[in-house]
Amino acid sequence: MPVDSRTVGVTWFQAYCTGLAAIGSFNFGWNIGSVNIPGDVLQNCVTGRKYYGVFPSCVFVGSNTVWGVVVGSYALGALAGAIISNPVIDRKGYKFVLSWFALLNVVGALLLSLTTKLPQFIIGRVVVGVAAGAANNALATYVSDISTPRSRTVLGGTVQLACNMGIMIDNACALGLAPPPRWRILFAITGVLGLVNFILFPFARESPKWLISKGRHEEARESLARFRNHAYIDDEFNEMVAVDRANKARTEDVNVLQVIRGETPDNLRHQLLCVSALMFFQQFCGINAVIFYSTSIINRSTGGSPADIPTLAQILSFIISVAALVFTFIGMVLGAYLGRRTLLMFSHLSMAVFAALIVPGSVRNVAALVVTAVFCFNAFFNLGVGPIPWAAASEMTPRYAMTAMSAIGTGIGYIGTFTIGVIFPPLNNWWKNYTFLFFMVWNIIATVFVYFFIPETRDRPIEDTVSKHSCGIHLVVGKRWQVPPIEEKTDLGGGAVDNELVSDERSLLGDTPVLPSIPDIKESIHPDPAEVNSKD
C-alpha cells in the first residue's frame, strides 16, 4: 500500500525549498551580527579617524544611546518589511516575496558599504531590515504550508537555524574584516546573498495551500506531490481543498486589525495572546543584548584594547555564535521528542539561571564565570526560545488568519528587538553589573506563562489545534485541552485516517462540525462511478 502523505517526514524537496527560502533568514542573522564585532571601530573610531579616498574609516557616533538607535533601526526596517509583505503574499504568493524582496539587500548593501555619513548608514540598515522582515514573515508560513505535522517539527526551527548560521559566519568574517576599510566588505556581502536568493528561489515550488486558495488546484496537486516525494496525496489534497472551501464559506482572509479587534469567525483571543507573548518574551529574555553587545559585555571582564583586533572578547563572541548554531540544531532534534511546551519552559528557566550567574561574575570580575554564563545563556536560548515562537502562529491559527497573526507576532518581535537595541546601552550604564537581573525576571515570568497558556503542538494537525483552542483565553493545564498527536489518529499501514481527523469536540464554527469526514470528502470530490450511473 502507498504511504499516506500526511505521515511522511522530511523529504529532500521540502529540505531543498526550505533551504532556499532560509537564505533570507541567513541574511537576517548576518545583518544582526554585522555591528557586534566591528562596533567599537564604527562608533568610537578606536583605530583612528582617517580617510581612504572619500570614505572615512568610521561613522563616529560618540553616544551609546545614538548607537543603540543605529543598531535598532534594522529592526524597524524588518517591522516595515513584515507589514508590507503581507498583502504582497496574498496577491503574488510566497515565491514572489522570497525572490523579489531579496533585491533590497543589494540596495542596502550599497548604502552601507559606501557610507560616508551616519544618516546614510542608518538608511542602509533600514533597507536591509525591510528585506529581512519580508523574508522571515514569508518563511515561517511557507515552511508550515509545505510540511507535514512530522516534518514541521524539524523544519519549524529553520528561521532560527538560518539566522544563527548568518550570525556565526558574519562573526567569523568580522574577525578579519572589522578593521577599516575592510568592514565595508562585511556589509557588501549582504548584497551578494540577496542576489543568490533572487537567482535561486524561482527553482522552488509555491505553497500548495496558497495555490488552492487561489483556485489553482492542478498546480497545487503537482506541487504537493513534489513536496511529499510522490507518496499517496489524495487524502491530504482533498483535506486541503475542504478546509479552503470551509474557510471561504465563512470568511475571506482577515487583516491585522480584524484579528486584534476580535472580528473573526472563530474566537482567536487565546492564539493572539500566545503568539504576542511568545514573541515579546523572545526579545525581553535578553538575547539581543548578547547578540548586539556581547563583545563589550565580555570585554568589560577580560580587558584588552578594542583596537587590538581581534580581541579576546571578539574571539569569544565568535565561539558563542558557533555554539548558538549547534544548540539550535540540537533544539530542533529535541523538539521532536520533548515537544514545544516542555522545551520552551526548560529554555526560559535555564536562561533565568544563567542571567543570574552573569551578575556575580561581573560584580566579582570573574571573567571565566561571565564568559561561561553568557555562553550558556545564548546556547539555551537556541534550544527553544529562539526557534519555537516563529512557528507559533502557523501551528495554532486557522488559515484565513495565519498571515495576519504572523504579522502581529513578528511585529512585536521587531519592536522588541529595536527596544532592547536602544535601551540596553543606557541601561547597562545605569545598572552596570546588575543589568542581567532585568532579563532574569522576564525569563521567570515567561516560564510561568508557557506552563499555563501555551498548548502542545508537536505532531498535532493544525486544524485540531485550532478547533480545540478557538474559544477565548483559557488555561491549557489538564487533559481537556490536549490534542492527540497524529500517530494516534493514523493507520500507517494502509494510509487510512480516522474520520475525526479534521473535526474535534469543538469545530471551527462552534458545536456544528465544519468539515466532513475523509470518506465524505473523497466522495464529494471523486464520486463513485456506479452511483453516478445509477442516477443517470
Side-chain angles (χ1 to χ4, degrees):
M1 293 290 291
V3 177
D4 189 321
S5 62
R6 291 166 295 185
T7 68
V8 301
V10 179
T11 65
W12 75 267
F13 195 66
Q14 285 178 34
Y16 170 75
C17 292
T18 300
L20 291 183
I23 295 175
S25 289
F26 179 95
N27 225 342
F28 176 72
W30 181 278
N31 285 295
I32 283 179
S34 61
V35 294
N36 183 8
I37 290 179
D40 281 321
V41 172
L42 292 170
Q43 68 163 325
N44 297 322
C45 300
V46 293
T47 57
R49 301 179 68 175
K50 50 190 174 183
Y51 280 83
Y52 300 87
V54 297
F55 300 110
S57 60
C58 57
V59 285
F60 180 71
V61 177
S63 166
N64 286 331
T65 302
V66 174
W67 180 246
V69 173
V70 174
V71 171
S73 61
Y74 178 65
L76 291 183
L79 173 61
I83 294 172
I84 294 169
S85 64
N86 278 329
V88 182
I89 290 173
D90 182 58
R91 293 181 183 180
K92 299 290 187 179
Y94 297 97
K95 283 185 65 175
F96 183 91
V97 168
L98 290 167
S99 300
W100 288 94
F101 272 74
L103 288 179
L104 289 176
N105 286 301
V106 179
V107 178
L110 289 172
L111 289 169
L112 291 167
S113 60
L114 301 178
T115 289
T116 57
K117 302 290 183 181
L118 181 61
Q120 180 183 345
F121 192 81
I122 294 175
I123 294 171
R125 292 277 292 171
V126 171
V127 171
V128 293
V130 172
N136 278 353
N137 187 40
L139 175 60
T141 307
Y142 177 74
V143 171
S144 177
D145 280 3
I146 69 175
S147 305
T148 63
R150 288 179 176 175
S151 63
R152 194 169 61 243
T153 299
V154 176
L155 298 179
T158 300
V159 171
Q160 193 64 33
L161 182 69
C163 178
N164 281 337
M165 187 175 292
I167 293 172
M168 181 199 72
I169 295 178
D170 174 88
N171 285 345
C173 294
L175 293 176
L177 296 177
R182 295 197 297 269
W183 58 261
R184 295 179 181 275
I185 300 174
L186 198 66
F187 290 104
I189 292 174
T190 189
V192 177
L193 294 171
L195 279 176
V196 171
N197 205 166
F198 175 75
I199 293 169
L200 292 182
F201 199 75
F203 294 100
R205 288 272 185 156
E206 184 57 86
S207 154
K209 292 184 178 180
W210 184 86
L211 290 168
I212 289 172
S213 72
K214 300 305 176 184
R216 295 155 62 176
H217 287 193
E218 287 305 315
E219 291 179 65
R221 180 180 284 276
E222 292 175 7
S223 179
L224 184 63
R226 287 295 306 278
F227 284 122
R228 300 297 181 261
N229 198 25
H230 302 288
Y232 177 75
I233 66 168
D234 282 3
D235 286 342
E236 183 178 11
F237 179 77
N238 293 341
E239 230 177 83
M240 290 180 178
V241 172
V243 171
D244 181 66
R245 286 177 179 172
N247 286 336
K248 286 181 177 177
R250 300 174 328 166
T251 184
E252 296 294 329
D253 287 358
V254 297
N255 58 39
V256 169
L257 288 179
Q258 288 173 307
V259 172
I260 293 174
R261 292 170 180 168
E263 299 170 354
T264 55
D266 302 300
N267 189 336
L268 303 180
R269 290 296 185 189
H270 191 78
Q271 286 91 330
L272 178 62
L273 172 68
C274 291
V275 170
S276 302
L278 286 180
M279 292 304 295
F280 174 86
F281 289 133
Q282 188 192 59
Q283 303 309 315
F284 277 78
C285 71
I287 189 61
N288 279 322
V290 172
I291 293 175
F292 288 147
Y293 304 109
S294 63
T295 301
S296 60
I297 292 171
I298 295 172
N299 195 61
R300 180 179 292 179
S301 297
T302 59
S305 171
D308 296 333
I309 302 172
T311 64
L312 177 59
Q314 291 170 340
I315 295 172
L316 290 172
S317 291
F318 164 67
I319 294 173
I320 288 172
S321 67
V322 174
L325 179 66
V326 173
F327 274 80
T328 300
F329 180 76
I330 293 173
M332 292 170 69
V333 175
L334 287 178
Y337 297 96
L338 300 180
R340 310 279 199 266
R341 189 165 172 269
T342 302
L343 205 53
L344 268 174
M345 288 190 291
F346 175 70
S347 183
H348 270 300
L349 194 58
S350 299
M351 291 181 72
V353 171
F354 292 115
L357 289 176
I358 291 174
V359 174
S362 300
V363 171
R364 298 290 184 179
N365 200 28
V366 182
L369 179 58
V370 172
V371 171
T372 302
V374 170
F375 178 93
C376 293
F377 183 85
N378 196 348
F380 280 86
F381 165 83
N382 289 289
L383 282 182
V385 181
I388 293 174
W390 288 105
S394 61
E395 294 187 348
M396 298 173 60
T397 310
R399 178 74 191 177
Y400 67 82
M402 196 178 290
T403 302
M405 192 71 77
S406 178
I408 293 170
T410 53
I412 290 172
Y414 293 138
I415 291 173
T417 300
F418 173 77
T419 302
I420 295 299
V422 172
I423 71 170
F424 182 78
L427 191 69
N428 202 29
N429 283 339
W430 297 333
W431 290 8
K432 299 188 182 301
N433 296 327
Y434 297 92
T435 304
F436 272 80
L437 289 177
F438 176 78
F439 300 121
M440 179 197 73
V441 172
W442 280 116
N443 278 292
I444 293 173
I445 294 172
T447 304
V448 175
F449 178 87
V450 171
Y451 177 77
F452 284 108
F453 292 100
I454 302 299
E456 181 55 67
T457 58
R458 178 179 68 92
D459 291 345
R460 272 67 172 179
I462 294 173
E463 291 79 11
D464 285 12
T465 302
V466 169
S467 72
K468 179 72 76 173
H469 297 286
S470 297
C471 57
I473 296 173
H474 55 274
L475 303 181
V476 299
V477 180
K479 292 186 177 180
R480 176 186 176 188
W481 303 107
Q482 294 178 8
V483 176
I486 194 170
E487 288 87 347
E488 296 180 18
K489 295 189 173 186
T490 305
D491 179 354
L492 299 181
V497 180
D498 190 296
N499 286 349
E500 300 301 322
L501 179 64
V502 290
S503 60
D504 213 317
E505 62 182 63
R506 285 192 72 260
S507 70
L508 299 179
L509 282 176
D511 294 327
T512 305
V514 99
L515 295 179
S517 63
I518 294 301
D520 293 338
I521 295 172
K522 291 174 68 176
E523 287 179 12
S524 66
I525 298 177
H526 302 293
D528 189 326
E531 184 179 336
V532 173
N533 292 335
S534 67
K535 290 180 181 179
D536 293 339

